[in-house]
Amino acid sequence: MNLSISNIRQLLGFDNRFSFEEKLLNGFSLTGSLIGISILPAAFLGVFGQLPIITISLLFSISCGCYYLNRFRRDFLKALYGFCGLFTFLLLFEWYTMGGVHGTASVGIIGCNVALLLLMPKNLIGKYIIAFSALLLAMLLTERFLPDSIMGEPVNFDTRQAQLISIFVLSTFATYFFKKEEFRRKTELLLNNQIQRHLVSAIENSYLMASFDENRNMLYLSKSASQVLPFNTQTELTLFLHRLVNERIQSEADHVVKELQLTFNQQEKYLDTIFHQGQENQQRFYHLIIHDITDRKNHEITLQQALNHQAEMNELKTKFVTMVSHQFRTPLATIQSASELLEIEGGCHPLPKNSPKRYSQIYESVESLRQMMERMLDFGSLESANPTLKVTPCCLKALIEDQIKKHLNAFPEKRNVNFKAPQNDRKVNLDFYLFQHIVSNLICNALKYSNSENEVITISLTYQEDDFQLTIADQGIGIPADDLKNLFMPFFRATNTENHKGTGIGLSFVKQFVELHKGTIGVESVLGVGTTFKINIPYLLESEKSAPQK
């Protein structure tokens, strides 16, 4: 086995695996063990009398136990408590054998206290000082009030020499570890300085940094200057920096940040320039920092071009939808008029029994396509321009009642609708067409997604101080919780609506129309229980009529 110094330090517990306090405690414990084992044979031979045999045995055994706990079990606190117990026992033994506090070695007390304070964690130092002070007070009170017979007679063995040796050894260990700790901290400081130098070097390699005195003389220029500004000659570079500094000085600002665009060898370069001027020791100085941001700007330009392209594609999509919707109107009108003529002419000729049903299906399909085209046109207009409100006084109660009757008559199955509103109707300024669309869409959805006449649809209108509230609640199929966040997105449909017709545009219109009135819309739904929509729209002022809405 190679017993080098590093191996011995590792074996004894003085290597870098242990903290400063752990190494110090290992040293103290090892010292106590060595002192105990060296004088224990003499104690057994009766050189020190009978009583010191117990003391020296405890010194040896507790020191060994502390060393084992701290070195091998890595239980620092238990080892520290054992060391405190050993110190307390030795102090009480000396107090008893030396005839009181006046006979104890103050140097030994101070040395052991210093050693323990070096080992103590910060949260235990206050508790230790209180406990040690209480122990000293108890010893003094015992000497004052108890009979002299309790105190033992001073023994012949003078322990002060042993104490001085122990303090000398402990002080040596403490000094050694303090030196090691100081060396470690200096090493860390040196390492930090090296890291800082590396960081400065890295910055210098990517940033141009220049300093000038008050006479515009260049005091410092970083090594990366020719990389950031690839002029053909050093003179051109110097002249450019002087011109840049003079321009910044004329701005009379202490700190200026500006972006530049230059051309080198037919290639565009984008630069961030930071200028700072100040005064130190009654002398002006100027600092200039230039950073090449060409790559970042190129990425920004590419991203902006992609965004512009996306905007153009969206505009083309909107125009295409609008064009197709307009083109569908003519054939739909032709189909409808031809069907009506055939139905009229059919009165003069015998027709099959199911002919009226066929005509009804044609009319319903034409009307469905027409409504879809109208919604597509509305969607295109919302996407392509900023719509405005055409505000007129409207009777809300009558408007809602008309929409309920319209949808109930058009709906094939019977539905139960309960409308609650104040008896006295009230005129409110809003866009009649847009609000009619809001009410129509929500009532249509409530009827569509209710399964039977036993499911009641409740519509409530409430006039409040600053706004009015419209609530439409159904007991239908409900909306899955994961779909609620996307419910008002264009063309989005809930995952449980596959068996129901729809385009997914209606609620998107509703939300935009409500927001055009500066209102809010909210939805609450439980799957299989029902859905509730709440709309709050403030009363519009006269000055807001026909005003563009942002």
Side-chain angles (χ1 to χ4, degrees):
M1 182 177 178
N2 185 16
L3 293 177
S4 62
I5 295 178
S6 60
N7 289 335
I8 295 175
R9 291 176 63 246
Q10 183 176 359
L11 181 65
L12 297 179
F14 299 148
D15 58 329
N16 293 329
R17 293 177 301 166
F18 299 89
S19 66
F20 169 72
E21 290 79 9
E22 289 175 330
K23 288 187 282 188
L24 200 60
L25 183 56
N26 283 337
F28 291 156
S29 303
L30 198 58
T31 301
S33 303
L34 293 176
I35 292 175
I37 196 64
S38 61
I39 62 176
L40 191 60
F44 276 109
L45 293 175
V47 175
F48 307 124
Q50 295 297 322
L51 193 58
I53 296 177
I54 301 174
T55 306
I56 296 171
S57 300
L58 285 174
L59 172 65
F60 172 71
S61 58
I62 294 177
S63 297
C64 289
C66 293
Y67 182 74
Y68 169 75
L69 287 173
N70 189 51
R71 167 64 180 83
F72 297 102
R73 297 290 299 274
R74 301 301 296 268
D75 196 339
F76 175 76
L77 284 180
K78 287 185 179 179
L80 181 61
Y81 294 151
F83 198 76
C84 289
L86 175 62
F87 166 65
T88 304
F89 171 77
L90 293 177
L91 179 63
L92 290 173
F93 171 73
E94 186 179 21
W95 169 72
Y96 180 78
T97 57
M98 293 301 177
V101 175
H102 68 278
T104 58
S106 57
V107 177
I109 296 174
I110 295 173
C112 289
N113 271 292
V114 170
L116 287 173
L117 289 174
L118 287 173
L119 296 173
M120 284 285 174
K122 289 183 179 180
N123 60 329
L124 295 179
I125 289 178
K127 297 178 181 178
Y128 170 76
I129 293 174
I130 293 173
F132 182 74
S133 302
L135 179 63
L136 284 180
L137 181 62
M139 292 162 60
L140 292 171
L141 291 175
T142 302
E143 292 180 24
R144 175 68 177 83
F145 295 105
L146 293 180
D148 294 339
S149 59
I150 294 180
M151 302 298 299
E153 292 295 332
V155 297
N156 295 328
F157 173 59
D158 189 359
T159 61
R160 289 182 178 163
Q161 292 181 355
Q163 287 177 349
L164 290 175
I165 294 173
S166 301
I167 292 171
F168 173 76
V169 175
L170 292 175
S171 302
T172 302
F173 268 106
T175 304
Y176 169 75
F177 283 113
F178 269 122
K179 290 293 183 181
K180 292 289 291 183
E181 184 69 10
E182 183 181 3
F183 175 75
R184 184 184 65 81
R185 291 176 180 173
K186 286 183 177 179
T187 304
E188 289 182 355
L189 182 61
L190 181 62
L191 181 60
N192 290 333
N193 291 335
Q194 290 176 351
I195 293 173
Q196 291 177 2
R197 283 198 297 271
H198 285 304
L199 287 174
V200 172
S201 176
I203 293 173
E204 286 184 341
N205 291 333
S206 56
Y207 287 78
L208 184 153
M209 293 184 289
S211 299
F212 302 84
D213 61 15
E214 58 185 1
N215 297 320
R216 317 300 197 267
N217 296 319
M218 188 181 296
L219 303 176
Y220 170 77
L221 182 64
S222 61
K223 299 177 182 179
S224 61
S226 59
Q227 298 176 4
V228 178
L229 295 175
F231 285 99
N232 295 326
T233 63
Q234 184 70 21
T235 304
E236 292 178 349
L237 173 62
T238 305
L239 290 175
F240 173 77
L241 294 176
H242 277 95
R243 185 171 70 252
L244 199 60
V245 169
N246 291 329
E247 291 175 358
R248 300 295 182 267
I249 293 174
Q250 291 174 2
S251 66
E252 297 182 356
D254 291 340
H255 192 79
V256 181
V257 179
K258 191 174 181 180
E259 186 177 302
L260 296 178
Q261 182 179 355
L262 303 175
T263 303
F264 294 97
N265 300 324
Q266 299 181 348
Q267 291 185 352
E268 295 292 333
K269 242 185 186 313
Y270 296 91
L271 305 171
D272 254 350
T273 62
I274 303 173
F275 171 77
H276 177 73
Q277 61 176 329
Q279 186 170 349
E280 187 175 352
N281 297 327
Q282 297 182 348
Q283 290 186 352
R284 300 290 297 178
F285 60 85
Y286 309 100
H287 295 307
L288 185 64
I289 300 175
I290 301 177
H291 178 46
D292 188 353
I293 59 170
T294 304
D295 291 339
R296 190 188 76 191
K297 290 295 294 185
N298 288 335
H299 286 305
E300 290 177 359
I301 293 171
T302 303
L303 181 60
Q304 188 61 45
Q305 290 174 349
L307 291 174
N308 294 338
H309 178 70
Q310 184 66 30
E312 292 176 0
M313 295 301 295
N314 288 336
E315 186 177 357
L316 287 174
K317 178 197 70 176
T318 303
K319 289 181 178 180
F320 174 76
V321 169
T322 304
M323 180 191 68
V324 170
S325 300
H326 278 293
Q327 293 299 322
F328 263 103
R329 283 181 169 181
T330 301
L332 285 175
T334 303
I335 293 171
Q336 186 172 10
S337 60
S339 301
E340 291 173 352
L341 289 173
L342 287 173
E343 188 176 12
I344 293 171
E345 294 175 357
C348 304
H349 304 283
L351 294 173
K353 294 181 180 180
N354 59 352
S355 293
K357 182 178 180 181
R358 302 297 185 193
Y359 285 122
S360 178
Q361 290 176 347
I362 293 173
Y363 296 150
E364 289 178 1
S365 299
V366 170
E367 180 64 18
S368 177
L369 282 172
R370 188 190 65 79
Q371 290 182 2
M372 185 176 70
M373 291 303 103
E374 291 295 336
R375 290 187 178 184
M376 297 296 286
L377 286 171
D378 291 339
F379 180 74
S381 64
L382 285 175
E383 289 285 308
S384 60
N386 291 324
T388 58
L389 294 179
K390 297 178 182 179
V391 179
T392 56
C394 302
C395 297
L396 295 184
K397 183 179 178 181
L399 186 153
I400 296 170
E401 287 176 342
D402 290 342
Q403 290 299 313
I404 293 173
K405 291 178 182 178
K406 173 186 173 182
H407 286 285
L408 284 177
N409 292 332
F411 214 79
E413 294 87 5
K414 187 178 179 181
R415 289 290 184 268
N416 189 358
V417 177
N418 182 18
F419 179 42
K420 300 177 181 179
Q423 291 183 354
N424 298 325
D425 202 357
R426 178 175 175 178
K427 289 187 176 181
V428 178
N429 288 323
L430 46 76
D431 189 307
F432 178 82
Y433 170 75
L434 296 184
F435 188 74
Q436 185 185 54
H437 185 93
I438 293 170
V439 176
S440 175
N441 183 274
L442 293 179
I443 292 177
C444 180
N445 285 345
L447 292 169
K448 187 194 319 184
Y449 297 116
S450 296
N451 294 323
S452 67
E453 59 180 302
N454 296 326
E455 297 175 350
V456 179
I457 298 171
T458 304
I459 302 174
S460 303
L461 175 63
T462 307
Y463 295 109
Q464 302 178 134
E465 183 177 355
D466 298 322
D467 59 10
F468 68 88
Q469 184 180 81
L470 176 64
T471 304
I472 300 178
D474 64 58
Q475 297 175 346
I477 62 175
I479 303 169
D482 293 338
D483 293 343
L484 287 174
K485 59 183 177 182
N486 299 317
L487 193 62
F488 297 104
M489 297 292 291
F491 305 106
F492 177 82
R493 301 198 69 205
T495 54
N496 61 337
T497 59
E498 295 88 352
N499 298 326
H500 300 79
K501 295 180 180 179
T503 60
I505 304 177
L507 285 178
S508 174
F509 287 159
V510 168
K511 186 174 188 295
Q512 293 186 60
F513 292 162
V514 170
E515 290 176 348
L516 281 172
H517 286 85
K518 298 183 180 179
T520 59
I521 181 171
V523 57
E524 296 178 357
S525 184
V526 178
L527 192 63
V529 177
T531 303
T532 301
F533 285 91
K534 287 185 179 180
I535 295 174
N536 288 75
I537 296 180
Y539 304 125
L540 299 179
L541 301 177
E542 291 293 326
S543 59
E544 294 178 316
K545 289 185 178 181
S546 301
Q549 305 299 308
K550 301 297 183 183

